[in-house]
Amino acid sequence: MKLKPYIWTILGIFALGLTSCDLNIAPYSYIADEYYFENASQVNTAVIGCYGGMQAPLRCEWALTELRSDNSRMYSSSTQNDANLLLLAFDNGTMNAANTHIRSYWESTYNNINSCNTILLPENLAVVEEEKLRDQYEGEILFIRAYHYFNLVRLWGRYS
């Protein structure tokens, strides 16, 4: 029974030690937008990142476009593999909103549109001092965003 006071003492010291810890530290893997855009080089890096963001939707765009049409088809219709069953639904025209390819395309497209919108904020483009370069970056980002909207309208209609 003499152990009880020691346990309470240790727990009290431990609790006191936790209250002195600073748990509000900034993550090292993420830089907030308001701290990132400080010069033209960083805006250029963000623009290049938006070009890279165009690749993610392309991983499943062929299933949403070509596989649904008569341009391509699945020859292994007897498979029971989950991945092939999702693709077979596109080939047969029986896909639904729970299909992971649809969700992946939708999310990756809107994630890149969000990145484009972040760059297009006036305070982020204003750090590029050279007007011609600023106009170039703005034009590139507007094109990437329009490309994504074009594909969304092409796949889901005007109000996607």
Side-chain angles (χ1 to χ4, degrees):
M1 292 313 256
K2 293 190 180 211
L3 267 149
K4 223 174 198 181
Y6 293 116
I7 292 174
W8 285 110
T9 305
I10 292 172
L11 285 175
I13 292 172
F14 183 70
L16 197 65
L18 282 179
T19 59
S20 65
C21 293
D22 183 20
L23 299 177
N24 295 324
I25 58 174
Y28 294 113
S29 62
Y30 176 77
I31 300 173
D33 298 338
E34 59 266 11
Y35 301 117
Y36 182 73
F37 295 101
E38 294 179 350
N39 57 42
S41 176
Q42 290 173 328
V43 174
N44 184 36
T45 303
V47 170
I48 292 170
C50 286
Y51 278 111
M54 293 173 70
Q55 295 177 19
L58 292 176
R59 289 188 199 115
C60 51
E61 184 174 336
W62 68 274
L64 294 168
T65 56
E66 297 297 318
L67 200 52
R68 288 173 50 195
S69 69
D70 289 333
N71 292 338
S72 62
R73 62 178 272 206
M74 296 262 316
Y75 285 102
S76 60
S77 60
S78 63
T79 184
Q80 294 302 313
N81 184 340
D82 289 341
N84 285 341
L85 288 176
L86 290 173
L87 294 174
L88 190 60
F90 284 106
D91 194 26
N92 294 334
T94 58
M95 65 279 182
N96 58 25
N99 193 308
T100 56
H101 292 291
I102 294 172
R103 181 182 178 103
S104 174
Y105 185 87
W106 187 270
E107 286 179 351
S108 59
T109 299
Y110 274 106
N111 281 337
N112 204 31
I113 288 172
N114 183 41
S115 298
C116 291
N117 288 339
T118 301
I119 296 171
L120 287 172
L121 291 173
E123 61 268 15
N124 292 339
L125 279 176
V127 300
V128 182
E129 295 174 2
E130 187 179 335
E131 184 178 353
K132 187 175 180 180
L133 190 59
R134 182 175 50 245
D135 291 344
Q136 175 190 334
Y137 292 153
E138 184 177 10
E140 290 179 34
I141 291 301
L142 287 171
F143 170 78
I144 293 170
R145 189 175 68 172
Y147 168 79
H148 285 307
Y149 281 132
F150 168 76
N151 283 331
L152 288 170
V153 169
R154 186 172 56 115
L155 290 170
W156 284 287
R158 182 175 174 190
Y159 300 106
S160 58

